[in-house]
Amino acid sequence: MTVQQTPLFSWRMSLSGKVAVVTGAVMGIGKAMTEKLLQNGAKVALLDMNKTEAESLMQTLTKQYGQERLLFLHCDVEQEEQVKAAFQKTMDTFGGIHILCNNAGILNESTWEKMISVNLVGVIRATYLVLEHMNKLKGGQGGVIVNTASLAGIGPLVSCPVYTASKHGVVGFTRAMSAASALSGYGVRVNCLCPGFVQTGLFSNIPARLGPFSHLKDGTQLLVEKFGIVNMSQVVEAFFELVTDETKDGAALLVFQQERKYMPAVSVTD
Ligand SMILES: NC(=O)c1ccc[n+]([C@@H]2O[C@H](COP(=O)([O-])OP(=O)(O)OC[C@H]3O[C@@H](n4cnc5c(N)ncnc54)[C@H](O)[C@@H]3O)[C@@H](O)[C@H]2O)c1
Ligand SMILES: CCCCC[C@H](O)/C=C/C=C\C/C=C\C/C=C\CCCC(=O)O
């Protein structure tokens, strides 16, 4: 990968000509990530289940960035064959995959097994499948994976125990997978993004999403007031740092309303 040295010892990867895949790409945080990648010269494959939103987004993006840098692929991250086919189509169209953003996620404590399936199993599945293309030991060019976790990946969102579990799982998987990749020589960095509350579709109709814990909605509202709402631009800047800063591997970047900070790694061997 092309790197440029910038002050303060950070190594920035240029995105010009790089190929990125974003899951959950047509709305909310995934859409903002997609736009940031395009603004910085990447080609992007947008994977999502929502064909209607995809259609209008693709029209807008095509006008701005050109058809040759874009690909929409209808894909449910729960479906192994769809994810495999989407990566293959991206390889065939753009000739490689350098960046994977495992962003697709849902919040519904009533359908909790599905939530684990999308939020955690989906991330693991896409990671293993993309490594078939990215892993330097398998002829790939290396790359970076950024998983969208949440502040609920490092502390409890009490009204959402299973959502919390799914995001703690994403943080744990990120850290261990990063170390496994480094020790194995895959040439793939793995980081995760942990935003606070962000104004998106997921952050709406909250009481209904809490299912058996809808009676805890007032406490949730207090937590929202305590943490505040994080602007999408802050989320996107944090995401961009995790993608481009070559020194970040196994990092969990917390995004608060006023600041962003890295969660220190905890060692169990010291
Ligand atoms: N909004 C927040 O407050 C917040 C905070 C921290 C983390 N997150 C996380 O950010 C990620 C994006 O959420 P958002 O807030 O942008 O939500 P959103 O609902 O606005 O967007 C989610 C996107 O994912 C897609 N999607 C859902 N299930 C899918 C599946 N099975 N396969 C493929 N695509 C699927 C949807 O169609 C949609 O385009 C999620 O992982 C979420 O947990 C959200
Ligand atoms: C019901 C709203 C759903 C939004 C989900 C989304 O992922 C956002 C969650 C944001 C914050 C709440 C989660 C946990 C807070 C607990 C601890 C944070 C610890 C912060 C610190 O250690 O400094």
Side-chain angles (χ1 to χ4, degrees), residues 20-27 30-35 37-38 43-50 53-55 57-58 61-62 69-75 86 90 94:
V21 177
V22 181
T23 70
V26 309
M27 291 198 301
K31 178 179 165 185
M33 288 173 165
T34 296
E35 287 168 341
L37 291 162
L38 289 165
K43 298 171 190 166
V44 184
L46 295 82
L47 275 50
D48 207 295
M49 294 170 68
N50 190 329
E53 286 290 329
E55 214 166 284
L57 178 63
M58 286 297 282
L61 295 178
T62 302
R69 288 175 58 199
L70 287 157
L71 182 64
F72 169 70
L73 297 165
H74 180 252
C75 175
T90 306
F94 294 139

PDB file of all heavy atoms in Angstrom, residues 20-27 30-35 37-38 43-50 53-55 57-58 61-62 69-75 86 90 94:
ATOM      1  N   ALA A  20     -12.959   0.005  -1.667  1.00  0.00           N
ATOM      2  CA  ALA A  20     -13.579  -0.209  -0.355  1.00  0.00           C
ATOM      3  C   ALA A  20     -14.926  -0.895  -0.518  1.00  0.00           C
ATOM      4  O   ALA A  20     -15.647  -0.661  -1.490  1.00  0.00           O
ATOM      5  CB  ALA A  20     -13.777   1.139   0.350  1.00  0.00           C
ATOM      6  N   VAL A  21     -15.248  -1.752   0.453  1.00  0.00           N
ATOM      7  CA  VAL A  21     -16.587  -2.351   0.531  1.00  0.00           C
ATOM      8  C   VAL A  21     -17.202  -1.862   1.838  1.00  0.00           C
ATOM      9  O   VAL A  21     -16.557  -1.946   2.895  1.00  0.00           O
ATOM     10  CB  VAL A  21     -16.516  -3.894   0.544  1.00  0.00           C
ATOM     11  CG1 VAL A  21     -17.916  -4.490   0.708  1.00  0.00           C
ATOM     12  CG2 VAL A  21     -15.853  -4.422  -0.718  1.00  0.00           C
ATOM     13  N   VAL A  22     -18.431  -1.355   1.762  1.00  0.00           N
ATOM     14  CA  VAL A  22     -19.124  -0.880   2.963  1.00  0.00           C
ATOM     15  C   VAL A  22     -20.429  -1.658   3.095  1.00  0.00           C
ATOM     16  O   VAL A  22     -21.232  -1.684   2.154  1.00  0.00           O
ATOM     17  CB  VAL A  22     -19.440   0.633   2.869  1.00  0.00           C
ATOM     18  CG1 VAL A  22     -20.138   1.121   4.138  1.00  0.00           C
ATOM     19  CG2 VAL A  22     -18.172   1.446   2.617  1.00  0.00           C
ATOM     20  N   THR A  23     -20.662  -2.291   4.246  1.00  0.00           N
ATOM     21  CA  THR A  23     -21.954  -2.957   4.467  1.00  0.00           C
ATOM     22  C   THR A  23     -22.884  -1.988   5.191  1.00  0.00           C
ATOM     23  O   THR A  23     -22.440  -1.142   5.962  1.00  0.00           O
ATOM     24  CB  THR A  23     -21.807  -4.267   5.276  1.00  0.00           C
ATOM     25  OG1 THR A  23     -21.456  -3.953   6.634  1.00  0.00           O
ATOM     26  CG2 THR A  23     -20.750  -5.185   4.685  1.00  0.00           C
ATOM     27  N   GLY A  24     -24.173  -2.110   4.915  1.00  0.00           N
ATOM     28  CA  GLY A  24     -25.129  -1.146   5.477  1.00  0.00           C
ATOM     29  C   GLY A  24     -24.811   0.241   4.959  1.00  0.00           C
ATOM     30  O   GLY A  24     -24.783   1.219   5.705  1.00  0.00           O
ATOM     31  N   ALA A  25     -24.568   0.320   3.629  1.00  0.00           N
ATOM     32  CA  ALA A  25     -23.947   1.517   3.040  1.00  0.00           C
ATOM     33  C   ALA A  25     -24.920   2.590   2.591  1.00  0.00           C
ATOM     34  O   ALA A  25     -24.493   3.680   2.254  1.00  0.00           O
ATOM     35  CB  ALA A  25     -23.094   1.099   1.831  1.00  0.00           C
ATOM     36  N   VAL A  26     -26.215   2.291   2.565  1.00  0.00           N
ATOM     37  CA  VAL A  26     -27.086   3.267   1.886  1.00  0.00           C
ATOM     38  C   VAL A  26     -27.808   4.226   2.834  1.00  0.00           C
ATOM     39  O   VAL A  26     -28.481   5.140   2.376  1.00  0.00           O
ATOM     40  CB  VAL A  26     -28.093   2.589   0.909  1.00  0.00           C
ATOM     41  CG1 VAL A  26     -27.383   1.640  -0.027  1.00  0.00           C
ATOM     42  CG2 VAL A  26     -29.240   1.919   1.616  1.00  0.00           C
ATOM     43  N   MET A  27     -27.657   4.009   4.141  1.00  0.00           N
ATOM     44  CA  MET A  27     -28.292   4.949   5.075  1.00  0.00           C
ATOM     45  C   MET A  27     -27.345   5.222   6.249  1.00  0.00           C
ATOM     46  O   MET A  27     -26.366   4.513   6.462  1.00  0.00           O
ATOM     47  CB  MET A  27     -29.603   4.354   5.608  1.00  0.00           C
ATOM     48  CG  MET A  27     -30.676   4.272   4.546  1.00  0.00           C
ATOM     49  SD  MET A  27     -32.332   4.071   5.200  1.00  0.00           S
ATOM     50  CE  MET A  27     -32.233   2.576   6.110  1.00  0.00           C
ATOM     51  N   GLY A  30     -23.220   4.346   7.488  1.00  0.00           N
ATOM     52  CA  GLY A  30     -22.611   3.696   6.323  1.00  0.00           C
ATOM     53  C   GLY A  30     -22.614   4.602   5.100  1.00  0.00           C
ATOM     54  O   GLY A  30     -21.652   4.633   4.326  1.00  0.00           O
ATOM     55  N   LYS A  31     -23.692   5.350   4.941  1.00  0.00           N
ATOM     56  CA  LYS A  31     -23.783   6.288   3.814  1.00  0.00           C
ATOM     57  C   LYS A  31     -22.725   7.388   3.974  1.00  0.00           C
ATOM     58  O   LYS A  31     -22.039   7.749   2.996  1.00  0.00           O
ATOM     59  CB  LYS A  31     -25.193   6.891   3.789  1.00  0.00           C
ATOM     60  CG  LYS A  31     -25.437   7.916   2.727  1.00  0.00           C
ATOM     61  CD  LYS A  31     -26.878   8.391   2.817  1.00  0.00           C
ATOM     62  CE  LYS A  31     -27.091   9.669   2.037  1.00  0.00           C
ATOM     63  NZ  LYS A  31     -28.441  10.198   2.202  1.00  0.00           N
ATOM     64  N   ALA A  32     -22.571   7.885   5.187  1.00  0.00           N
ATOM     65  CA  ALA A  32     -21.576   8.938   5.435  1.00  0.00           C
ATOM     66  C   ALA A  32     -20.154   8.402   5.225  1.00  0.00           C
ATOM     67  O   ALA A  32     -19.283   9.103   4.689  1.00  0.00           O
ATOM     68  CB  ALA A  32     -21.751   9.483   6.851  1.00  0.00           C
ATOM     69  N   MET A  33     -19.907   7.158   5.616  1.00  0.00           N
ATOM     70  CA  MET A  33     -18.589   6.541   5.381  1.00  0.00           C
ATOM     71  C   MET A  33     -18.320   6.433   3.882  1.00  0.00           C
ATOM     72  O   MET A  33     -17.214   6.731   3.400  1.00  0.00           O
ATOM     73  CB  MET A  33     -18.556   5.121   5.977  1.00  0.00           C
ATOM     74  CG  MET A  33     -18.518   5.070   7.481  1.00  0.00           C
ATOM     75  SD  MET A  33     -18.700   3.338   8.014  1.00  0.00           S
ATOM     76  CE  MET A  33     -18.173   3.484   9.719  1.00  0.00           C
ATOM     77  N   THR A  34     -19.349   5.995   3.157  1.00  0.00           N
ATOM     78  CA  THR A  34     -19.229   5.833   1.701  1.00  0.00           C
ATOM     79  C   THR A  34     -18.853   7.165   1.053  1.00  0.00           C
ATOM     80  O   THR A  34     -17.948   7.222   0.193  1.00  0.00           O
ATOM     81  CB  THR A  34     -20.576   5.317   1.141  1.00  0.00           C
ATOM     82  OG1 THR A  34     -20.815   4.027   1.687  1.00  0.00           O
ATOM     83  CG2 THR A  34     -20.579   5.252  -0.368  1.00  0.00           C
ATOM     84  N   GLU A  35     -19.539   8.228   1.460  1.00  0.00           N
ATOM     85  CA  GLU A  35     -19.257   9.551   0.871  1.00  0.00           C
ATOM     86  C   GLU A  35     -17.830   9.992   1.181  1.00  0.00           C
ATOM     87  O   GLU A  35     -17.130  10.535   0.326  1.00  0.00           O
ATOM     88  CB  GLU A  35     -20.286  10.571   1.379  1.00  0.00           C
ATOM     89  CG  GLU A  35     -21.655  10.349   0.725  1.00  0.00           C
ATOM     90  CD  GLU A  35     -22.793  11.126   1.377  1.00  0.00           C
ATOM     91  OE1 GLU A  35     -22.631  11.561   2.533  1.00  0.00           O
ATOM     92  OE2 GLU A  35     -23.842  11.273   0.721  1.00  0.00           O
ATOM     93  N   LEU A  37     -15.213   8.086   1.755  1.00  0.00           N
ATOM     94  CA  LEU A  37     -14.287   7.278   0.954  1.00  0.00           C
ATOM     95  C   LEU A  37     -14.232   7.793  -0.483  1.00  0.00           C
ATOM     96  O   LEU A  37     -13.158   7.923  -1.085  1.00  0.00           O
ATOM     97  CB  LEU A  37     -14.725   5.806   0.980  1.00  0.00           C
ATOM     98  CG  LEU A  37     -14.576   5.094   2.331  1.00  0.00           C
ATOM     99  CD1 LEU A  37     -15.422   3.824   2.372  1.00  0.00           C
ATOM    100  CD2 LEU A  37     -13.110   4.758   2.610  1.00  0.00           C
ATOM    101  N   LEU A  38     -15.407   8.120  -1.029  1.00  0.00           N
ATOM    102  CA  LEU A  38     -15.471   8.632  -2.404  1.00  0.00           C
ATOM    103  C   LEU A  38     -14.787   9.992  -2.517  1.00  0.00           C
ATOM    104  O   LEU A  38     -14.031  10.236  -3.466  1.00  0.00           O
ATOM    105  CB  LEU A  38     -16.930   8.737  -2.862  1.00  0.00           C
ATOM    106  CG  LEU A  38     -17.629   7.393  -3.124  1.00  0.00           C
ATOM    107  CD1 LEU A  38     -19.138   7.570  -3.204  1.00  0.00           C
ATOM    108  CD2 LEU A  38     -17.106   6.744  -4.404  1.00  0.00           C
ATOM    109  N   LYS A  43     -12.736   3.789  -4.755  1.00  0.00           N
ATOM    110  CA  LYS A  43     -13.887   3.187  -5.445  1.00  0.00           C
ATOM    111  C   LYS A  43     -14.656   2.447  -4.356  1.00  0.00           C
ATOM    112  O   LYS A  43     -14.024   1.836  -3.476  1.00  0.00           O
ATOM    113  CB  LYS A  43     -13.418   2.201  -6.510  1.00  0.00           C
ATOM    114  CG  LYS A  43     -12.591   2.859  -7.598  1.00  0.00           C
ATOM    115  CD  LYS A  43     -11.968   1.803  -8.506  1.00  0.00           C
ATOM    116  CE  LYS A  43     -10.959   2.464  -9.428  1.00  0.00           C
ATOM    117  NZ  LYS A  43     -10.085   1.494 -10.085  1.00  0.00           N
ATOM    118  N   VAL A  44     -15.986   2.472  -4.431  1.00  0.00           N
ATOM    119  CA  VAL A  44     -16.753   1.871  -3.329  1.00  0.00           C
ATOM    120  C   VAL A  44     -17.827   0.908  -3.821  1.00  0.00           C
ATOM    121  O   VAL A  44     -18.631   1.251  -4.702  1.00  0.00           O
ATOM    122  CB  VAL A  44     -17.413   2.960  -2.445  1.00  0.00           C
ATOM    123  CG1 VAL A  44     -18.125   2.315  -1.250  1.00  0.00           C
ATOM    124  CG2 VAL A  44     -16.379   3.970  -1.938  1.00  0.00           C
ATOM    125  N   ALA A  45     -17.848  -0.283  -3.226  1.00  0.00           N
ATOM    126  CA  ALA A  45     -18.963  -1.217  -3.414  1.00  0.00           C
ATOM    127  C   ALA A  45     -19.884  -1.052  -2.214  1.00  0.00           C
ATOM    128  O   ALA A  45     -19.450  -1.229  -1.068  1.00  0.00           O
ATOM    129  CB  ALA A  45     -18.442  -2.644  -3.504  1.00  0.00           C
ATOM    130  N   LEU A  46     -21.123  -0.681  -2.492  1.00  0.00           N
ATOM    131  CA  LEU A  46     -22.111  -0.462  -1.429  1.00  0.00           C
ATOM    132  C   LEU A  46     -22.949  -1.724  -1.282  1.00  0.00           C
ATOM    133  O   LEU A  46     -23.660  -2.114  -2.221  1.00  0.00           O
ATOM    134  CB  LEU A  46     -23.041   0.711  -1.774  1.00  0.00           C
ATOM    135  CG  LEU A  46     -22.454   2.118  -1.876  1.00  0.00           C
ATOM    136  CD1 LEU A  46     -21.816   2.364  -3.235  1.00  0.00           C
ATOM    137  CD2 LEU A  46     -23.553   3.158  -1.644  1.00  0.00           C
ATOM    138  N   LEU A  47     -22.873  -2.369  -0.121  1.00  0.00           N
ATOM    139  CA  LEU A  47     -23.659  -3.576   0.133  1.00  0.00           C
ATOM    140  C   LEU A  47     -24.787  -3.230   1.090  1.00  0.00           C
ATOM    141  O   LEU A  47     -24.540  -2.680   2.182  1.00  0.00           O
ATOM    142  CB  LEU A  47     -22.781  -4.662   0.772  1.00  0.00           C
ATOM    143  CG  LEU A  47     -21.963  -5.557  -0.158  1.00  0.00           C
ATOM    144  CD1 LEU A  47     -21.149  -4.781  -1.167  1.00  0.00           C
ATOM    145  CD2 LEU A  47     -21.069  -6.493   0.647  1.00  0.00           C
ATOM    146  N   ASP A  48     -26.013  -3.529   0.701  1.00  0.00           N
ATOM    147  CA  ASP A  48     -27.146  -3.227   1.569  1.00  0.00           C
ATOM    148  C   ASP A  48     -28.355  -4.026   1.095  1.00  0.00           C
ATOM    149  O   ASP A  48     -28.396  -4.509  -0.032  1.00  0.00           O
ATOM    150  CB  ASP A  48     -27.462  -1.716   1.526  1.00  0.00           C
ATOM    151  CG  ASP A  48     -28.126  -1.208   2.808  1.00  0.00           C
ATOM    152  OD1 ASP A  48     -29.267  -1.642   3.114  1.00  0.00           O
ATOM    153  OD2 ASP A  48     -27.509  -0.379   3.509  1.00  0.00           O
ATOM    154  N   MET A  49     -29.348  -4.115   1.997  1.00  0.00           N
ATOM    155  CA  MET A  49     -30.589  -4.832   1.676  1.00  0.00           C
ATOM    156  C   MET A  49     -31.647  -3.900   1.126  1.00  0.00           C
ATOM    157  O   MET A  49     -32.653  -4.350   0.590  1.00  0.00           O
ATOM    158  CB  MET A  49     -31.168  -5.458   2.941  1.00  0.00           C
ATOM    159  CG  MET A  49     -30.330  -6.552   3.529  1.00  0.00           C
ATOM    160  SD  MET A  49     -30.999  -6.959   5.139  1.00  0.00           S
ATOM    161  CE  MET A  49     -32.552  -7.674   4.654  1.00  0.00           C
ATOM    162  N   ASN A  50     -31.465  -2.603   1.337  1.00  0.00           N
ATOM    163  CA  ASN A  50     -32.512  -1.637   1.005  1.00  0.00           C
ATOM    164  C   ASN A  50     -32.344  -1.112  -0.433  1.00  0.00           C
ATOM    165  O   ASN A  50     -31.629  -0.156  -0.700  1.00  0.00           O
ATOM    166  CB  ASN A  50     -32.466  -0.470   2.010  1.00  0.00           C
ATOM    167  CG  ASN A  50     -33.668   0.435   1.886  1.00  0.00           C
ATOM    168  OD1 ASN A  50     -34.229   0.594   0.808  1.00  0.00           O
ATOM    169  ND2 ASN A  50     -34.057   1.028   2.997  1.00  0.00           N
ATOM    170  N   GLU A  53     -33.750   2.719  -1.208  1.00  0.00           N
ATOM    171  CA  GLU A  53     -32.817   3.801  -0.821  1.00  0.00           C
ATOM    172  C   GLU A  53     -31.575   3.765  -1.705  1.00  0.00           C
ATOM    173  O   GLU A  53     -31.024   4.794  -2.064  1.00  0.00           O
ATOM    174  CB  GLU A  53     -32.382   3.636   0.644  1.00  0.00           C
ATOM    175  CG  GLU A  53     -33.435   4.001   1.658  1.00  0.00           C
ATOM    176  CD  GLU A  53     -33.728   5.497   1.712  1.00  0.00           C
ATOM    177  OE1 GLU A  53     -32.805   6.304   1.461  1.00  0.00           O
ATOM    178  OE2 GLU A  53     -34.881   5.853   2.003  1.00  0.00           O
ATOM    179  N   ALA A  54     -31.142   2.554  -2.053  1.00  0.00           N
ATOM    180  CA  ALA A  54     -29.929   2.397  -2.861  1.00  0.00           C
ATOM    181  C   ALA A  54     -30.094   3.061  -4.217  1.00  0.00           C
ATOM    182  O   ALA A  54     -29.169   3.717  -4.719  1.00  0.00           O
ATOM    183  CB  ALA A  54     -29.598   0.921  -3.033  1.00  0.00           C
ATOM    184  N   GLU A  55     -31.275   2.905  -4.786  1.00  0.00           N
ATOM    185  CA  GLU A  55     -31.521   3.442  -6.125  1.00  0.00           C
ATOM    186  C   GLU A  55     -31.304   4.960  -6.174  1.00  0.00           C
ATOM    187  O   GLU A  55     -30.573   5.454  -7.034  1.00  0.00           O
ATOM    188  CB  GLU A  55     -32.952   3.111  -6.528  1.00  0.00           C
ATOM    189  CG  GLU A  55     -33.124   2.853  -7.992  1.00  0.00           C
ATOM    190  CD  GLU A  55     -34.465   2.201  -8.268  1.00  0.00           C
ATOM    191  OE1 GLU A  55     -34.608   0.990  -8.009  1.00  0.00           O
ATOM    192  OE2 GLU A  55     -35.357   2.931  -8.690  1.00  0.00           O
ATOM    193  N   LEU A  57     -29.790   6.876  -3.903  1.00  0.00           N
ATOM    194  CA  LEU A  57     -28.418   7.233  -3.496  1.00  0.00           C
ATOM    195  C   LEU A  57     -27.443   7.022  -4.664  1.00  0.00           C
ATOM    196  O   LEU A  57     -26.573   7.860  -4.921  1.00  0.00           O
ATOM    197  CB  LEU A  57     -27.982   6.404  -2.270  1.00  0.00           C
ATOM    198  CG  LEU A  57     -26.559   6.667  -1.794  1.00  0.00           C
ATOM    199  CD1 LEU A  57     -26.370   8.107  -1.308  1.00  0.00           C
ATOM    200  CD2 LEU A  57     -26.162   5.695  -0.670  1.00  0.00           C
ATOM    201  N   MET A  58     -27.608   5.903  -5.376  1.00  0.00           N
ATOM    202  CA  MET A  58     -26.692   5.613  -6.487  1.00  0.00           C
ATOM    203  C   MET A  58     -26.809   6.664  -7.592  1.00  0.00           C
ATOM    204  O   MET A  58     -25.802   7.045  -8.206  1.00  0.00           O
ATOM    205  CB  MET A  58     -26.960   4.210  -7.057  1.00  0.00           C
ATOM    206  CG  MET A  58     -26.473   3.096  -6.155  1.00  0.00           C
ATOM    207  SD  MET A  58     -24.679   3.115  -5.902  1.00  0.00           S
ATOM    208  CE  MET A  58     -24.113   2.406  -7.434  1.00  0.00           C
ATOM    209  N   LEU A  61     -24.874   9.731  -6.213  1.00  0.00           N
ATOM    210  CA  LEU A  61     -23.421   9.514  -6.151  1.00  0.00           C
ATOM    211  C   LEU A  61     -22.803   9.379  -7.536  1.00  0.00           C
ATOM    212  O   LEU A  61     -21.684   9.820  -7.780  1.00  0.00           O
ATOM    213  CB  LEU A  61     -23.103   8.265  -5.308  1.00  0.00           C
ATOM    214  CG  LEU A  61     -23.461   8.339  -3.813  1.00  0.00           C
ATOM    215  CD1 LEU A  61     -23.130   7.015  -3.114  1.00  0.00           C
ATOM    216  CD2 LEU A  61     -22.741   9.496  -3.116  1.00  0.00           C
ATOM    217  N   THR A  62     -23.555   8.749  -8.453  1.00  0.00           N
ATOM    218  CA  THR A  62     -23.042   8.556  -9.811  1.00  0.00           C
ATOM    219  C   THR A  62     -22.805   9.897 -10.488  1.00  0.00           C
ATOM    220  O   THR A  62     -21.774  10.102 -11.154  1.00  0.00           O
ATOM    221  CB  THR A  62     -24.021   7.690 -10.639  1.00  0.00           C
ATOM    222  OG1 THR A  62     -24.185   6.455  -9.964  1.00  0.00           O
ATOM    223  CG2 THR A  62     -23.503   7.431 -12.037  1.00  0.00           C
ATOM    224  N   ARG A  69     -16.659   4.385 -10.454  1.00  0.00           N
ATOM    225  CA  ARG A  69     -16.130   4.257  -9.084  1.00  0.00           C
ATOM    226  C   ARG A  69     -17.157   3.668  -8.119  1.00  0.00           C
ATOM    227  O   ARG A  69     -16.916   3.598  -6.919  1.00  0.00           O
ATOM    228  CB  ARG A  69     -15.675   5.628  -8.564  1.00  0.00           C
ATOM    229  CG  ARG A  69     -14.386   6.106  -9.232  1.00  0.00           C
ATOM    230  CD  ARG A  69     -14.027   7.494  -8.788  1.00  0.00           C
ATOM    231  NE  ARG A  69     -13.867   7.568  -7.353  1.00  0.00           N
ATOM    232  CZ  ARG A  69     -13.906   8.703  -6.646  1.00  0.00           C
ATOM    233  NH1 ARG A  69     -14.106   9.858  -7.273  1.00  0.00           N
ATOM    234  NH2 ARG A  69     -13.749   8.692  -5.348  1.00  0.00           N
ATOM    235  N   LEU A  70     -18.319   3.241  -8.654  1.00  0.00           N
ATOM    236  CA  LEU A  70     -19.418   2.811  -7.774  1.00  0.00           C
ATOM    237  C   LEU A  70     -20.012   1.486  -8.192  1.00  0.00           C
ATOM    238  O   LEU A  70     -20.089   1.177  -9.379  1.00  0.00           O
ATOM    239  CB  LEU A  70     -20.530   3.864  -7.826  1.00  0.00           C
ATOM    240  CG  LEU A  70     -20.230   5.172  -7.104  1.00  0.00           C
ATOM    241  CD1 LEU A  70     -21.084   6.300  -7.662  1.00  0.00           C
ATOM    242  CD2 LEU A  70     -20.457   5.004  -5.605  1.00  0.00           C
ATOM    243  N   LEU A  71     -20.466   0.742  -7.174  1.00  0.00           N
ATOM    244  CA  LEU A  71     -21.125  -0.532  -7.431  1.00  0.00           C
ATOM    245  C   LEU A  71     -22.105  -0.765  -6.290  1.00  0.00           C
ATOM    246  O   LEU A  71     -21.691  -0.738  -5.122  1.00  0.00           O
ATOM    247  CB  LEU A  71     -20.047  -1.627  -7.436  1.00  0.00           C
ATOM    248  CG  LEU A  71     -20.425  -3.065  -7.714  1.00  0.00           C
ATOM    249  CD1 LEU A  71     -20.963  -3.217  -9.132  1.00  0.00           C
ATOM    250  CD2 LEU A  71     -19.182  -3.962  -7.540  1.00  0.00           C
ATOM    251  N   PHE A  72     -23.382  -0.952  -6.619  1.00  0.00           N
ATOM    252  CA  PHE A  72     -24.318  -1.346  -5.548  1.00  0.00           C
ATOM    253  C   PHE A  72     -24.580  -2.831  -5.667  1.00  0.00           C
ATOM    254  O   PHE A  72     -24.858  -3.350  -6.743  1.00  0.00           O
ATOM    255  CB  PHE A  72     -25.654  -0.591  -5.618  1.00  0.00           C
ATOM    256  CG  PHE A  72     -26.683  -1.201  -4.690  1.00  0.00           C
ATOM    257  CD1 PHE A  72     -26.531  -1.082  -3.309  1.00  0.00           C
ATOM    258  CD2 PHE A  72     -27.750  -1.956  -5.172  1.00  0.00           C
ATOM    259  CE1 PHE A  72     -27.438  -1.681  -2.433  1.00  0.00           C
ATOM    260  CE2 PHE A  72     -28.657  -2.557  -4.292  1.00  0.00           C
ATOM    261  CZ  PHE A  72     -28.504  -2.415  -2.925  1.00  0.00           C
ATOM    262  N   LEU A  73     -24.511  -3.524  -4.532  1.00  0.00           N
ATOM    263  CA  LEU A  73     -24.789  -4.950  -4.527  1.00  0.00           C
ATOM    264  C   LEU A  73     -25.806  -5.251  -3.436  1.00  0.00           C
ATOM    265  O   LEU A  73     -25.559  -4.968  -2.248  1.00  0.00           O
ATOM    266  CB  LEU A  73     -23.494  -5.746  -4.292  1.00  0.00           C
ATOM    267  CG  LEU A  73     -22.454  -5.543  -5.408  1.00  0.00           C
ATOM    268  CD1 LEU A  73     -21.085  -6.022  -4.967  1.00  0.00           C
ATOM    269  CD2 LEU A  73     -22.894  -6.273  -6.676  1.00  0.00           C
ATOM    270  N   HIS A  74     -26.945  -5.794  -3.866  1.00  0.00           N
ATOM    271  CA  HIS A  74     -27.970  -6.154  -2.894  1.00  0.00           C
ATOM    272  C   HIS A  74     -27.434  -7.323  -2.076  1.00  0.00           C
ATOM    273  O   HIS A  74     -27.112  -8.386  -2.619  1.00  0.00           O
ATOM    274  CB  HIS A  74     -29.263  -6.561  -3.619  1.00  0.00           C
ATOM    275  CG  HIS A  74     -30.343  -6.946  -2.679  1.00  0.00           C
ATOM    276  ND1 HIS A  74     -30.769  -8.234  -2.501  1.00  0.00           N
ATOM    277  CD2 HIS A  74     -31.062  -6.181  -1.822  1.00  0.00           C
ATOM    278  CE1 HIS A  74     -31.715  -8.253  -1.576  1.00  0.00           C
ATOM    279  NE2 HIS A  74     -31.919  -7.021  -1.155  1.00  0.00           N
ATOM    280  N   CYS A  75     -27.291  -7.125  -0.765  1.00  0.00           N
ATOM    281  CA  CYS A  75     -26.631  -8.152   0.046  1.00  0.00           C
ATOM    282  C   CYS A  75     -27.079  -8.067   1.500  1.00  0.00           C
ATOM    283  O   CYS A  75     -27.047  -7.001   2.112  1.00  0.00           O
ATOM    284  CB  CYS A  75     -25.115  -7.952  -0.058  1.00  0.00           C
ATOM    285  SG  CYS A  75     -24.163  -9.052   0.990  1.00  0.00           S
ATOM    286  N   ALA A  86     -20.904 -11.028  -3.334  1.00  0.00           N
ATOM    287  CA  ALA A  86     -20.672  -9.575  -3.394  1.00  0.00           C
ATOM    288  C   ALA A  86     -19.174  -9.269  -3.426  1.00  0.00           C
ATOM    289  O   ALA A  86     -18.713  -8.400  -4.182  1.00  0.00           O
ATOM    290  CB  ALA A  86     -21.340  -8.885  -2.208  1.00  0.00           C
ATOM    291  N   THR A  90     -17.113  -7.566  -6.529  1.00  0.00           N
ATOM    292  CA  THR A  90     -16.256  -6.393  -6.310  1.00  0.00           C
ATOM    293  C   THR A  90     -14.859  -6.649  -6.890  1.00  0.00           C
ATOM    294  O   THR A  90     -14.280  -5.781  -7.567  1.00  0.00           O
ATOM    295  CB  THR A  90     -16.150  -6.073  -4.803  1.00  0.00           C
ATOM    296  OG1 THR A  90     -17.465  -5.941  -4.273  1.00  0.00           O
ATOM    297  CG2 THR A  90     -15.380  -4.792  -4.553  1.00  0.00           C
ATOM    298  N   PHE A  94     -13.522  -4.262  -9.775  1.00  0.00           N
ATOM    299  CA  PHE A  94     -12.498  -3.265  -9.424  1.00  0.00           C
ATOM    300  C   PHE A  94     -11.083  -3.862  -9.317  1.00  0.00           C
ATOM    301  O   PHE A  94     -10.116  -3.122  -9.125  1.00  0.00           O
ATOM    302  CB  PHE A  94     -12.847  -2.597  -8.090  1.00  0.00           C
ATOM    303  CG  PHE A  94     -14.105  -1.740  -8.116  1.00  0.00           C
ATOM    304  CD1 PHE A  94     -15.006  -1.769  -7.052  1.00  0.00           C
ATOM    305  CD2 PHE A  94     -14.375  -0.885  -9.179  1.00  0.00           C
ATOM    306  CE1 PHE A  94     -16.151  -0.972  -7.049  1.00  0.00           C
ATOM    307  CE2 PHE A  94     -15.514  -0.081  -9.190  1.00  0.00           C
ATOM    308  CZ  PHE A  94     -16.402  -0.129  -8.125  1.00  0.00           C
TER     309      PHE A  94
END
